[in-house]
């Protein structure tokens, strides 16, 4: 692979799903379960897909939470980008992207915890989940996404 910096960013959505107590959903990825890192639901936007539709699809796939159980409180005005670290460049997403450009949403979860089903989609992405204090989010995520999580927290803090 020649100039990886010329690769595009993968269009993506992210969801800060918060419960009625102001805690945020985080999951531990199955493919990275020994890392100790947790992340909020996120995933790619399909070609021609509306970001709101993608957000609901990704949320349902990764957590089992359907649209009827959430209300969208806010969508960030501008997407956030992150670059993959050198050791992952050219390996993830078929080597087609240098990182992700994420449109973030804040959504309130109105259902019972029992409505969360990590096995709703096959294969599942998360092996564990928990509700976390939003202020802890930047400390829970992989280092190369910390800046994004800080920006998301700053943007949504007053609505959580």
């Amino acid at each position: 692979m020649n100039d990886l910096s010329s690769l595009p960013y993968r269009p993506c959505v992210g969801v800060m799903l918060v419960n009625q107590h102001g805690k945020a959903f985080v999951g531990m990825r199955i493919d990275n379960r020994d890392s100790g890192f947790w992340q909020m639901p996120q995933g790619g936007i399909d070609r021609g897909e509306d970001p709101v539709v993608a957000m609901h699809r990704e949320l349902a796939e990764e957590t089992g939470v359907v649209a009827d159980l959430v209300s969208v409180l806010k969508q960030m005005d501008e997407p956030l980008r992150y670059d993959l670290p050198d050791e992952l460049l050219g390996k993830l997403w078929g080597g087609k992207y240098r990182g992700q450009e994420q449109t973030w949403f804040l959504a309130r979860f109105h259902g019972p915890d029992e409505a969360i089903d990590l096995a709703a989609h096959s294969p599942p992405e998360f092996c564990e989940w928990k509700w976390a204090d939003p202020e802890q989010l930047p400390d829970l995520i992989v280092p190369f996404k910390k800046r994004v999580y800080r920006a998301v927290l700053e943007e949504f803090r007053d609505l959580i």
Side-chain angles (χ1 to χ4, degrees), residues 23-154:
K23 301 291 185 183
F25 175 97
V26 289
M28 180 164 297
R29 290 182 55 88
I30 282 180
D31 60 0
N32 209 7
R33 71 176 67 199
D34 296 328
S35 70
F37 296 118
W38 298 78
Q39 74 175 43
M40 292 184 280
Q42 64 170 57
I45 299 173
D46 295 335
R47 186 180 307 272
E49 187 177 32
D50 181 83
V52 174
V53 172
M55 182 271 303
H56 284 293
R57 177 183 51 74
E58 285 293 334
L59 196 56
E61 287 176 4
E62 294 185 8
T63 69
V65 173
V66 295
D68 292 350
L69 295 178
V70 299
S71 54
V72 177
L73 302 178
K74 186 171 184 179
Q75 175 181 341
M76 287 185 84
D77 293 332
E78 298 292 328
L80 299 172
R81 287 182 173 178
Y82 72 83
D83 291 329
L84 291 171
D86 291 344
E87 66 270 13
L88 295 177
L89 259 178
K91 295 179 181 161
L92 294 183
W93 311 304
K96 297 189 300 189
Y97 302 102
R98 67 186 290 179
Q100 294 197 89
E101 180 174 89
Q102 299 177 317
T103 300
W104 278 90
F105 294 86
L106 174 63
R108 177 85 59 205
F109 178 62
H110 300 291
D113 285 358
E114 296 76 29
I116 296 173
D117 178 9
L118 300 183
H121 185 263
S122 183
E125 275 200 41
F126 297 129
C127 56
E128 294 179 55
W129 73 274
K130 64 182 179 180
W131 295 112
D133 183 324
E135 297 297 328
Q136 294 178 323
L137 294 172
D139 297 327
L140 297 174
I141 191 63
V142 294
F144 62 92
K145 293 183 185 177
K146 285 184 184 297
R147 181 189 54 78
V148 168
Y149 272 39
R150 285 186 195 107
V152 169
L153 180 58
E154 187 62 31

